[in-house]
Amino acid sequence: MAEYRLRTPISEEDVRKLKVGDIVYLDGIIITGRDQVHRRALELAAKGEKDKVPVNLEGMALYHCGPIVKKIDDEWKIFGFGPTTSARMESVEADFIREFKVRLIIGKGGMFEKTTQGMKEYGAAYLAYPGGTSAVATSAVKRVVDVHWLDLGTPEAMWVVEVENFGPTMVAIDSHGNNLYTDVLSKAKKVAEEIKAKF
Amino acid sequence: MPDLKESIKSGIVTMMREAAFNVPRDVREALQRAYEIEDNPVAKANLKAILRNIEVSGKTKLPMCQDTGTPTFFIELGEDFPLKSELRSLIEEAVRTATSEIPLRPNAVDPWTYKNSGDNTGRYVPIIHLELVPGSEMKVIYLAKGGGSENTSKLYMLSPVLGLKGIKRAVIDAMLDAGPKPCPPIVVGVGVGGSADMALKLAKKATFRRLDEPNPDPKLAEIEQELLEKINSLGLGPMGLGGKTYALGVKIEWAHKHPASLPVGINTQCWAFRRSEAVFDSSGNMKLLVPP
């Protein structure tokens, strides 16, 4: 188990070094995107209008997060910056990685087979941010750099945020086909069969 | 004497504020113990982050979790409590004030248009469970219920012939299905009997019993302990990434049931189990019981 401190954007070489169980802290820009950002960006990509996506996502960290924000004196402030459940993005995340070449997906609760394969193929990793630890995440925010697609509502908009020492995040899916969530779950299923037989 | 309505309203805002920046002491202590007994490095890192988050939230007054939940109230209203008719609108006003002042994330969305009301109120929201009880006080339990842990709720309408075995198996199945999703370590509420809706309501209510307080019925206390040990032996651990502690406690509530039914409701509370409890006397003076 290694510990890394990485600055975005991230190269494929750096992301390929990460192995499940490693701990990562991030500096630089991270971009939020949950359900509606995925839907809209992929619709644009399907129409051949990728240039209408307002941010260059190559090498970036995409964060599954619907922040709590408030505009104070014309400036956006973040009050909540914890992760949301990544499973909702499972059906589209591999396509998103292929289209936009993001290198890190940050979220909670993990992702499954299709994303794991996509990460292996295109070179990306999934970082698990401890669910619910929003106060710690918020204190790592330096500033809101920009926001796009506010018409989707503040939780669903695309927030461009500068962070410092954002973490701890744990590599739960690496770019070599390993998925810590599915390993833990398949062991648990075996134990459960034994337990249930004895009830 | 302060105005009764104003006292209730500001009392409820206080309850919501307390819950946003804190978890009850029993939950905090259970998380600390889980950290101390853990030897899996990923699990330990998760628990350390959780404990640090509780500390930072309390100090900085940044909400514990960005999902500040669906405002949910369980109210035991004394039959002689002097105010009843405007209770819902008072609570709605308190929720609006708390949402803007704390601030909380607006989480009340129209299921047809997906339009967010923007202030945590809407049709049937805040969710209020009201029970009339003897006396002149009003007891309020406020729960900031996160979406992730509510999504792993389960209802099993079991065949009564399955009995206790069926109930235990249902709990294990629900945990496997929940996996990392409810932000473990979780508190598991199990509601047995009643009806479909009652079993789910009892499951949620069961989680309000303190973690260090066993079921008053020794037989049920034993079942709670057995289920807790079995759940944790699955090895799912904090955040479902492996480790010793997936559940901090299992709590059972029950009701009599129809002979042909065996409803089992399951509700889970994420580690950020944000709840507060208070009693209002007939003059509106509030005594905050949880968090201490």
Side-chain angles (χ1 to χ4, degrees), chain A residues 82 131-133 135-136 196 199, chain B residues 53 64 66 100 105 165 173 271:
Chain A
T133 61
V136 168
K196 281 160 64 183
F199 277 148
Chain B
N53 191 73
M64 188 78 60
Q66 84 293 339
S100 125
R105 193 175 79 182
K165 274 186 186 195
D173 284 339
W271 69 261

Side-chain angles (χ1 to χ4, degrees), chain B residues 2-231:
Chain B
D3 179 63
L4 178 63
K5 288 179 197 167
E6 279 309 312
S7 305
I8 293 174
K9 210 166 74 183
S10 70
I12 286 177
V13 173
T14 304
M15 290 182 77
M16 294 179 72
R17 193 184 295 279
E18 284 291 326
F21 307 125
N22 218 337
V23 294
R25 184 196 297 204
D26 55 326
V27 177
R28 226 158 43 227
E29 287 171 355
L31 288 164
Q32 181 65 40
R33 267 197 308 282
Y35 173 74
E36 282 157 16
I37 62 163
E38 190 56 72
D39 45 31
N40 172 323
V42 170
K44 212 152 173 112
N46 271 306
L47 287 164
K48 194 177 173 185
I50 287 170
L51 290 166
R52 197 177 140 230
N53 191 73
I54 294 171
E55 203 186 312
V56 171
S57 177
K59 274 188 196 151
T60 58
K61 303 293 172 205
L62 288 166
M64 188 78 60
C65 174
Q66 84 293 339
D67 179 358
T68 50
T70 294
T72 305
F73 295 86
F74 281 73
I75 298 177
E76 287 175 17
L77 184 63
E79 282 155 358
D80 302 318
F81 191 74
L83 186 133
K84 296 184 185 75
S85 62
E86 289 171 73
L87 199 52
R88 171 164 278 277
S89 60
L90 276 179
I91 294 174
E92 281 177 7
E93 273 182 55
V95 166
R96 281 189 203 104
T97 305
T99 299
S100 125
E101 278 181 6
I102 294 177
L104 303 174
R105 193 175 79 182
N107 279 340
V109 172
D110 180 313
W112 310 107
T113 62
Y114 278 51
K115 190 174 159 30
N116 195 319
S117 74
D119 64 5
N120 273 319
T121 70
R123 189 171 161 91
Y124 293 113
V125 176
I127 292 169
I128 300 175
H129 298 283
L130 188 66
E131 209 179 313
L132 278 176
V133 297
S136 62
E137 294 181 334
M138 175 173 72
K139 187 179 174 196
V140 179
I141 298 179
Y142 163 69
L143 175 67
K145 190 65 172 86
S149 66
E150 189 68 1
N151 285 346
T152 51
S153 303
K154 284 273 183 275
L155 175 68
Y156 298 92
M157 298 303 282
L158 298 178
S159 163
V161 295
L162 292 174
L164 180 56
K165 274 186 186 195
I167 296 170
K168 290 180 180 174
R169 285 176 184 161
V171 172
I172 296 296
D173 284 339
M175 297 302 107
L176 283 179
D177 194 61
K181 288 178 281 193
C183 282
I186 56 174
V187 177
V188 183
V190 183
V192 175
S195 52
D197 55 332
M198 178 63 89
L200 282 168
K201 184 175 159 179
L202 289 176
K204 194 170 277 176
K205 204 173 167 181
T207 64
F208 300 149
R209 179 153 41 84
R210 282 174 54 124
L211 285 169
D212 49 11
E213 197 182 311
N215 198 300
D217 179 337
K219 255 196 297 192
L220 295 183
E222 209 177 294
I223 296 168
E224 288 177 350
Q225 190 55 34
E226 182 194 3
L227 283 171
L228 177 62
E229 283 164 20
K230 294 287 192 278
I231 289 169

